[in-house]
Amino acid sequence: MRVEIWSDIACPWCYVGKARFEKALRAFPHRDGVEVVHRSFELDPRRAKGDVRPVLAILAEKYGMSEAQAQAGEDNLGAQAAAEGLEYRTSGRDHGSTFDLHRMLHLAKEKGRQDELIGILFRANFAEERSLFSEGDERLVELAVEAGLDAQDARAVLADPTAYADAVRADEREAAELGANGVPFFVLDRTYGVSGAQPAEVFAQALTRAWGERSPLPAVEDGGADACGPDGCAVPQR
Amino acid sequence: MRVEIWSDIACPWCYVGKARFEKALRAFPHRDGVEVVHRSFELDPRRAKGDVRPVLAILAEKYGMSEAQAQAGEDNLGAQAAAEGLEYRTSGRDHGSTFDLHRMLHLAKEKGRQDELIGILFRANFAEERSLFSEGDERLVELAVEAGLDAQDARAVLADPTAYADAVRADEREAAELGANGVPFFVLDRTYGVSGAQPAEVFAQALTRAWGERSPLPAVEDGGADACGPDGCAVPQR
């Protein structure tokens, strides 16, 4: 079974939701038969690279609230994260474009290191004192290397703004086609969706339900085709 | 869209079918939106490692035919392969256990090199004079390196017979659940199956049909969940 998770690195509920999903997955009896794929979703796709601002200032501006109110919201999020055993810095965080992060996640997917990298990026954005956005490209290269990627490969992606750009946009288009207008968004075997950072119990139920409904294919094109089976191969007639 | 292909390296119709599928895929307008995953299927799962025999002798024995009749069958297969632009040695080939090949393909999947490796293995088995089965592990290490894998990683897999063994068996179990009793077996988005090395036109139709029926999810668990969207994030109530 395959679980696709659309998320953005700048999305606190994605950080929390991933932990809740993983809690359900660890307890799921068929966990070894579950493959997880991370998909791109930018919450703020028009933000330019290098346009980095404090999270609290952005929140205050966006919701027309005071910084104290924004801080209270972050404190609440921090408590939700803590309840999942996650570190969460409730002040001093930056916000910036996540496009390069998503491009790097597609490189990581190709190299079989996607799950490592997304965990490292979430941690770098939400838990670490250093800013993920304001130190420039080398910070991202450093994190990519930590995830097991090659520094040269990572630098090549950053140097070419078209690298994996279509892959990011294809993920986003697909999210829209599937009806997702927010993240995190979980899709199980293209059969069930779970929207938002729901409790682990909801993910557990969705896993069980989707697993139980894995069914033989409705339509197989066959008709005496050329194939090999345990008893040997069809012999072609010329 | 995702296409899963179950095949065995010792299966001539898998070699031919892959070429026919790829011909259809190259001409498919949405080919950039198609991801291909190779899955394991052993035609001869009880064959022990190191039990290597000439293909013609095995065919003759299995079908109770003369070696000349077996040779005629191979000649016919060679003609089908040639029609797809594939090299195919119609005599002198060996047959052996493919379990290690499948384990290596799972390593390659993890490293993003699966498509490269399966092409190289098919070629090594069907087109090259050297035997894929009788030279021992270092031959497979060599081919893995050719596919872009690390020699140390490849040797570690071969040295540990449990490495990716469950992944191979999980693929085989899944094939059975999907109703496949022979290979190649193609599954498009878990919606349509194509059994056997069908003509490229059949694959083209299946791709078009499966692409057209990609549909929004039937059921999304939502209910005012904690999520972030373009307008911001839900604020948790404590």
Side-chain angles (χ1 to χ4, degrees):
Chain A
M1 187 164 71
R2 185 194 209 205
V3 178
E4 297 163 281
I5 310 178
W6 274 262
S7 53
D8 195 1
I9 301 301
C11 156
W13 286 120
C14 299
Y15 180 51
V16 172
K18 180 172 183 283
R20 292 180 180 165
F21 169 76
E22 285 170 355
K23 189 173 167 185
L25 185 60
R26 275 194 302 274
F28 185 57
H30 308 290
R31 60 185 169 278
D32 291 342
V34 177
E35 176 189 15
V36 175
V37 181
H38 297 283
R39 300 226 174 266
S40 302
F41 192 107
E42 295 161 279
L43 287 167
D44 192 3
R46 279 173 297 278
R47 184 164 299 270
K49 180 169 178 167
D51 179 7
V52 179
R53 295 192 53 210
V55 163
L56 291 175
I58 288 186
L59 288 175
E61 193 177 286
K62 191 160 197 164
Y63 297 113
M65 47 167 70
S66 67
E67 287 219 5
Q69 287 170 314
Q71 180 65 63
E74 281 292 280
D75 289 344
N76 286 343
L77 271 163
Q80 299 275 334
E84 301 304 329
L86 298 170
E87 285 180 64
Y88 190 102
R89 290 183 69 228
T90 55
S91 61
R93 291 200 304 107
D94 278 339
H95 176 70
S97 166
T98 58
F99 190 57
D100 283 355
L101 307 181
H102 288 296
R103 297 196 300 118
M104 197 63 77
L105 282 163
H106 277 276
L107 169 68
K109 180 172 177 234
E110 207 170 285
K111 303 288 182 183
R113 312 302 296 178
Q114 197 188 38
D115 211 53
E116 288 79 359
L117 183 60
I118 200 166
I120 286 168
L121 293 179
F122 273 133
R123 215 199 122 69
N125 185 37
F126 290 111
E128 289 177 24
E129 199 144 337
R130 289 172 65 183
S131 168
L132 176 57
F133 299 105
S134 54
E135 287 187 34
D137 282 357
E138 277 305 302
R139 172 72 173 136
L140 182 48
V141 171
E142 196 181 295
L143 295 167
V145 168
E146 196 184 316
L149 297 177
D150 184 79
Q152 290 301 97
D153 291 350
R155 284 195 193 102
V157 166
L158 292 169
D160 173 9
T162 68
Y164 300 106
D166 286 347
V168 174
R169 291 188 197 109
D171 279 359
E172 294 177 333
R173 213 167 34 238
E174 202 157 19
E177 284 169 11
L178 291 168
N181 42 33
V183 281
F185 189 68
F186 302 76
V187 175
L188 292 79
D189 256 358
R190 291 288 166 117
T191 309
Y192 293 108
V194 176
S195 177
Q198 306 239 4
E201 295 69 35
V202 172
F203 291 117
Q205 282 160 16
L207 284 167
T208 302
R209 193 171 159 195
W211 186 269
E213 297 193 11
R214 291 177 318 145
S215 60
L217 294 173
V220 174
E221 188 75 45
D222 196 336
D226 294 326
C228 301
D231 298 327
C233 298
V235 177
Q237 309 298 324
R238 270 205 295 192
Chain B
M1 187 164 73
R2 188 191 205 206
V3 178
E4 295 163 281
I5 309 179
W6 274 263
S7 52
D8 195 2
I9 301 302
C11 157
W13 286 120
C14 299
Y15 180 50
V16 172
K18 181 173 183 283
R20 291 180 181 167
F21 169 76
E22 286 171 353
K23 188 173 169 186
L25 185 60
R26 275 195 301 276
F28 185 56
H30 308 290
R31 61 186 169 277
D32 291 341
V34 177
E35 176 189 15
V36 175
V37 181
H38 297 283
R39 300 226 173 264
S40 302
F41 192 108
E42 296 162 278
L43 287 168
D44 192 3
R46 279 173 297 278
R47 184 164 298 270
K49 181 169 177 167
D51 179 6
V52 180
R53 293 191 55 209
V55 164
L56 290 175
I58 287 187
L59 288 175
E61 193 178 286
K62 189 160 200 165
Y63 297 111
M65 48 167 69
S66 68
E67 287 219 6
Q69 286 170 314
Q71 180 65 64
E74 280 292 282
D75 288 344
N76 285 343
L77 270 163
Q80 298 275 334
E84 301 304 328
L86 298 170
E87 286 180 65
Y88 190 103
R89 291 183 68 229
T90 55
S91 61
R93 292 198 305 108
D94 279 339
H95 176 70
S97 167
T98 58
F99 189 57
D100 283 355
L101 307 181
H102 288 296
R103 296 196 301 119
M104 198 63 77
L105 282 164
H106 277 277
L107 169 69
K109 180 172 176 236
E110 208 170 282
K111 302 288 182 185
R113 312 301 297 178
Q114 196 187 39
D115 211 55
E116 288 79 0
L117 183 59
I118 200 166
I120 286 168
L121 294 178
F122 273 132
R123 213 198 123 71
N125 185 38
F126 290 110
E128 288 177 24
E129 198 144 338
R130 289 172 65 183
S131 167
L132 176 57
F133 299 105
S134 54
E135 288 188 32
D137 282 357
E138 276 304 302
R139 172 73 174 135
L140 183 47
V141 171
E142 196 180 296
L143 295 167
V145 167
E146 196 183 317
L149 296 178
D150 184 78
Q152 290 301 97
D153 291 349
R155 285 195 193 103
V157 167
L158 291 169
D160 173 9
T162 68
Y164 301 106
D166 286 347
V168 174
R169 290 188 197 110
D171 278 359
E172 293 177 334
R173 213 165 37 236
E174 203 157 17
E177 286 169 10
L178 291 169
N181 42 33
V183 281
F185 189 68
F186 301 76
V187 176
L188 293 78
D189 254 359
R190 291 289 166 116
T191 310
Y192 293 107
V194 176
S195 178
Q198 306 237 5
E201 295 69 35
V202 172
F203 291 117
Q205 281 160 18
L207 284 166
T208 302
R209 192 169 158 197
W211 186 269
E213 297 194 12
R214 292 179 319 147
S215 61
L217 293 172
V220 174
E221 188 75 45
D222 195 336
D226 293 326
C228 301
D231 299 326
C233 296
V235 177
Q237 308 299 323
R238 272 206 294 193

